[in-house]
Amino acid sequence: HKYHPVSSDMIMNSVPLVDALSFLNQRGEDDSLRRIFIFDSIQTDARFLLHTLVLSRSNAEEQPVVWLSCSPTGTERNIKLASKRMGRSDKHFNVIHLAAGISKIILENEYNVEEMMEDYIKTLLYKLRQDEMRPAIIIIDDISILVGLIGNDRAYALLQCFLSPAFQSSKIVVRGSLDWDQSVLLKSNSKGYWLDGLNNEYDTSNEYVWERGLVELADVVIDVLPLESGFSREAHGRIVITESMSQNREVINYCCNDHGVRAIRMRHGGK
C-alpha cells in the first residue's frame, strides 16, 4: 500500500489491529482455532495480517515461528525487517525461502527435477517434525504462488501434511489469492476467458480452482478486501473474519502506517 498520514481522529477512534482480532484475544493460545486461512487480492496485499498474527505471540515465547515464503520478494531480510518495524523480535523466527530453494533446483538440474523437488519437500517436513520444539505457528505465504512453483498436487499434499496430527500443536496460517476465481473476471468476458499480464488468453470456463475448497478446511477464514470507495486517509481496506464452527462474523476497517496497522471495528456478530 501507499501509506497516507493518519489523522488524529483516526488514532483516537481506532486500536492496534492485534487488539481488534477477537478470535485471538478471547480464546488465547490454547484455542481450537488452529487453521487460519487468509484470502486477499491484487488490490489488497494481506501480508501485514501475517505479521500481526506473529505479533500476537509474546516475544518471550520460546517456540519458533516458521515462515515459508513462496514469493521472490519475500526474502528472510525483508520479512524480518517488516516484523521488527511492527515490534516483533526476530528471535525464534525462522524464514524459509521456498521460492529460492525450488528455483535453484530447477535452474541447476536438467534431469530428475521432479524427484529432487519431492526430496526437497520431504526434507523440509522431516526437519520441521524433528525439531525439539515444534513451531508454534507455520505460515505459508502464499499457497497460490506455491501452486505455480510445485504444482497443484504437491501443494495440496504439503498443506495436508501441515494439517495432519503430526503438526497438531502448531497453528497453521495460510495466505492465498482468489483473483483467478473472482466472478468479475469471468463476467467481463462472456466466453469465459482470462487475460494475464502479457495478454495471453486462458479458457477458464471449465477451470476448477481448488483454493476455493480451502474454506472447508479452515477454522477461521479472513478475507482482506478493498473498499468500494477506494483508499482514504482513514481506511485502506476491510477485513472480514468468519469462524467456521460458530459462523460468527466480524468486520473491521484497517489502516496501515509506518508504525503498524490500526483497526476500526465496524460490525461483530452472526451472519
Side-chain angles (χ1 to χ4, degrees):
H1 299 295
K2 180 180 180 181
Y3 296 155
H4 298 273
V6 180
S7 64
S8 58
D9 290 339
M10 168 64 187
I11 295 176
M12 292 178 60
N13 298 322
S14 65
V15 296
L17 178 59
V18 67
D19 296 333
L21 301 177
S22 58
F23 74 92
L24 287 177
N25 302 323
Q26 293 176 1
R27 296 174 181 257
E29 288 298 333
D30 296 327
D31 59 44
S32 59
L33 306 179
R34 60 176 292 262
R35 304 176 177 187
I36 302 174
F37 290 75
I38 302 171
F39 297 110
D40 60 8
S41 68
I42 195 171
Q43 294 176 283
T44 52
D45 189 309
R47 188 170 284 123
F48 72 89
L49 195 51
L50 300 179
H51 287 288
T52 301
L53 293 175
V54 172
L55 187 64
S56 68
R57 295 187 58 80
S58 168
N59 282 322
E61 297 280 356
E62 294 187 356
Q63 282 186 291
V65 174
V66 174
W67 189 307
L68 304 178
S69 175
C70 307
S71 169
T73 59
T75 62
E76 180 176 5
R77 179 181 180 276
N78 290 343
I79 292 174
K80 287 189 174 182
L81 181 61
S83 185
K84 282 185 177 180
R85 291 182 65 181
M86 294 186 68
R88 170 76 191 191
S89 169
D90 61 358
K91 186 180 180 182
H92 308 301
F93 190 8
N94 186 18
V95 178
I96 300 175
H97 199 190
L98 289 182
I102 295 172
S103 297
K104 184 177 180 181
I105 292 175
I106 296 173
L107 292 174
E108 294 183 354
N109 298 276
E110 184 176 357
Y111 306 104
N112 300 324
V113 174
E114 300 289 328
E115 292 81 357
M116 296 189 68
M117 195 178 296
E118 291 185 0
D119 289 342
Y120 177 83
I121 296 172
K122 290 177 181 178
T123 301
L124 170 66
L125 289 170
Y126 178 79
K127 288 181 178 179
L128 293 178
R129 291 181 62 181
Q130 294 302 311
D131 285 345
E132 294 182 1
M133 294 182 295
R134 296 288 175 83
I137 302 177
I138 298 176
I139 296 174
I140 301 179
D141 177 28
D142 69 36
I143 193 73
S144 300
I145 297 178
L146 184 62
V147 167
L149 289 172
I150 64 177
N152 284 295
D153 294 342
R154 291 191 186 91
Y156 188 70
L158 178 61
L159 177 60
Q160 286 288 2
C161 288
F162 288 135
L163 298 179
S164 70
F167 292 94
Q168 63 183 357
S169 62
S170 302
K171 190 183 295 292
I172 310 300
V173 181
V174 180
R175 173 179 166 234
S177 172
L178 290 183
D179 271 340
W180 180 275
D181 200 30
Q182 296 296 315
S183 60
V184 66
L185 294 178
L186 300 181
K187 288 180 180 179
S188 63
N189 191 319
S190 59
K191 295 181 180 180
Y193 286 116
W194 177 78
L195 296 178
D196 67 6
L198 300 177
N199 290 325
N200 296 317
E201 286 191 351
Y202 295 91
D203 184 3
T204 60
S205 57
N206 296 315
E207 186 73 24
Y208 174 72
V209 183
W210 67 270
E211 288 100 318
R212 78 175 67 164
L214 293 181
V215 296
E216 302 297 332
L217 303 175
D219 298 317
V220 179
V221 177
I222 305 177
D223 295 300
V224 183
L225 309 169
L227 296 174
E228 293 183 3
S229 58
F231 295 121
S232 67
R233 292 182 63 182
E234 287 74 25
H236 294 158
R238 178 163 293 178
I239 300 172
V240 180
I241 304 169
T242 306
E243 296 183 25
S244 60
M245 296 297 294
S246 64
Q247 288 299 303
N248 284 336
R249 179 166 295 178
E250 186 173 7
V251 181
I252 299 171
N253 279 0
Y254 70 89
C255 180
C256 300
N257 59 65
D258 290 335
H259 304 289
V261 185
R262 307 289 295 183
I264 302 176
R265 181 176 289 110
M266 306 295 293
R267 188 165 63 252
H268 185 240
K271 287 185 176 181

